[in-house]
Amino acid sequence: MFPDAGPDDPTVTAMRARELGRKSVVVGDRVNLVGDTSGTPGALARIVRIAERRSVLRRTAEDDATTAEGRLERVVVANADQLVIVSALADPPPRTGFIDRCLVAAYDAGIEPLLCLTKADLAGPEAVLGYYTELELPYVLIRPDSDLAALRALLAGRVSVMVGHSGVGKSTLVNRLVPEADRAVGTVSAIGRGRHTSTSAVALRLPPQPDGDGDPGWIIDTPGVRSFGLAHVSAESLLHGFPDLVEATVDCPANCQHTADEADCALDAWVAGGKADPRRLASYRRLLASRSGEGDPREPERNPGDPLAGS
């Protein structure tokens, strides 16, 4: 990817050089090329070097690192500045468990999160925003006819990767931001699940705006996912996705595991004192349990009992 590329620069086709060995090239990588970089039909360059990555967003199929799926780590994108978590407010309903997972992955990778709530014409955002009120999480509301100026301003000058369940309107949003992208869109099934329409990640240069003279930024559209495993994130780092709970752990005893079985864990008193939403603590502890193989690997993004979770 070429963050400094202009809209008129050619699209270069390149293949990985043999000397790179098994080192993989992912969307977002900055690379050095040799050969024909003219972009003319039939031209082919070679990728001979992959620059050191500033950030790496990863996910696994499961949370338990002792399973084959938990050990299968996937690099979603490299060098992203911002993770845009796309969630519909209805059809399909929002799932805070999935959003929590994305927040953990973002903070672990050193990437800033942005919550993008689509289908705001079908439901209000109050319940979702209330759940995250202590985080001061930046967000945007998207309707089919809404002006995207606020979103474009948050994307400008950045490399942003968009993730979300199938059916939340992610590809439709990408097509509105980059009309020539022509990303496939689909419908939501009768059971509330979206159909996978994007099959591969792709980096797209945002078009310059008439009233702007700066860098409009890049967006990386990713295939819709049903889960976001966190086996690659340590148990200690899981807490970074819950900044509203971090302060309470100062009063925890040494080597506290923060589970419900820890009689002296300060998190319970913190929540009982109204300093955090009890659903946030429940979500954090579900993630801890899932790491030990105690969760449901089929639907790890759900928060059972939470009306926001689509359970």
Side-chain angles (χ1 to χ4, degrees):
M1 196 179 84
F2 303 92
D4 301 323
D8 299 325
D9 288 340
T11 298
V12 178
T13 301
M15 64 180 293
R16 185 180 59 181
R18 183 177 300 175
E19 52 262 37
L20 287 178
R22 294 181 177 272
K23 190 171 184 180
S24 62
V25 184
V26 301
V27 174
D29 270 329
R30 302 191 69 166
V31 300
N32 285 40
L33 303 177
V34 298
D36 192 340
T37 59
S38 64
T40 56
L44 182 64
R46 289 190 306 136
I47 300 172
V48 295
R49 179 178 175 272
I50 303 172
E52 183 178 354
R53 294 166 176 168
R54 294 183 293 104
S55 66
V56 181
L57 179 67
R58 300 179 173 90
R59 75 178 182 94
T60 54
E62 288 188 4
D63 294 329
D64 188 353
T66 64
T67 66
E69 290 81 2
R71 289 191 296 268
L72 184 59
E73 185 178 301
R74 297 179 176 89
V75 175
V76 180
V77 65
N79 298 315
D81 305 305
Q82 183 169 239
L83 177 61
V84 182
I85 307 166
V86 184
S87 174
L89 288 168
D91 192 32
R95 291 178 176 173
T96 55
F98 178 79
I99 297 173
D100 287 346
R101 289 170 170 274
C102 291
L103 289 174
V104 170
Y107 292 133
D108 184 67
I111 300 173
E112 295 182 17
L114 170 65
L115 184 57
C116 181
L117 299 173
T118 62
K119 305 186 183 182
D121 56 316
L122 302 180
E126 293 80 14
V128 176
L129 296 181
Y131 178 78
Y132 292 106
T133 187
E134 298 297 328
L135 274 65
E136 299 183 355
L137 183 64
Y139 71 92
V140 289
L141 299 178
I142 304 295
R143 299 176 177 83
D145 58 348
S146 62
D147 186 345
L148 299 182
L151 176 58
R152 290 185 186 277
L154 292 168
L155 299 176
R158 297 183 172 190
V159 176
S160 301
V161 54
M162 307 182 79
V163 299
H165 286 303
S166 297
V168 298
K170 182 166 56 66
S171 294
T172 298
L173 180 59
V174 169
N175 287 336
R176 291 185 63 191
L177 290 166
V178 189
E180 63 270 23
D182 195 25
R183 298 294 274 174
V185 298
T187 57
V188 178
S189 67
I191 59 173
R193 290 176 181 257
R195 299 174 182 175
H196 292 285
T197 51
S198 301
T199 57
S200 60
V202 61
L204 301 165
R205 180 71 162 173
L206 288 164
Q209 296 305 296
D211 56 348
D213 55 2
D215 175 14
W218 289 76
I219 55 171
I220 299 176
D221 185 25
T222 62
V225 296
R226 289 209 173 103
S227 65
F228 209 108
L230 298 172
H232 61 287
V233 180
S234 68
E236 181 180 353
S237 294
L238 279 180
L239 192 60
H240 295 164
F242 297 82
D244 45 334
L245 302 177
V246 171
E247 186 178 345
T249 62
V250 174
D251 296 324
C252 284
N255 301 317
C256 180
Q257 300 300 307
H258 308 308
T259 64
D261 297 331
E262 293 277 358
D264 297 324
C265 180
L267 290 173
D268 297 281
W270 183 262
V271 168
K275 296 180 179 179
D277 191 315
R279 294 173 299 177
R280 295 279 294 158
L281 176 56
S283 179
Y284 170 58
R285 284 179 168 164
R286 262 190 293 275
L287 288 180
L288 287 175
S290 186
R291 287 186 57 82
S292 303
E294 299 172 12
D296 185 350
R298 295 169 300 175
E299 293 289 353
E301 77 279 4
R302 292 176 183 245
N303 271 343
D306 183 348
L308 295 179
S311 301

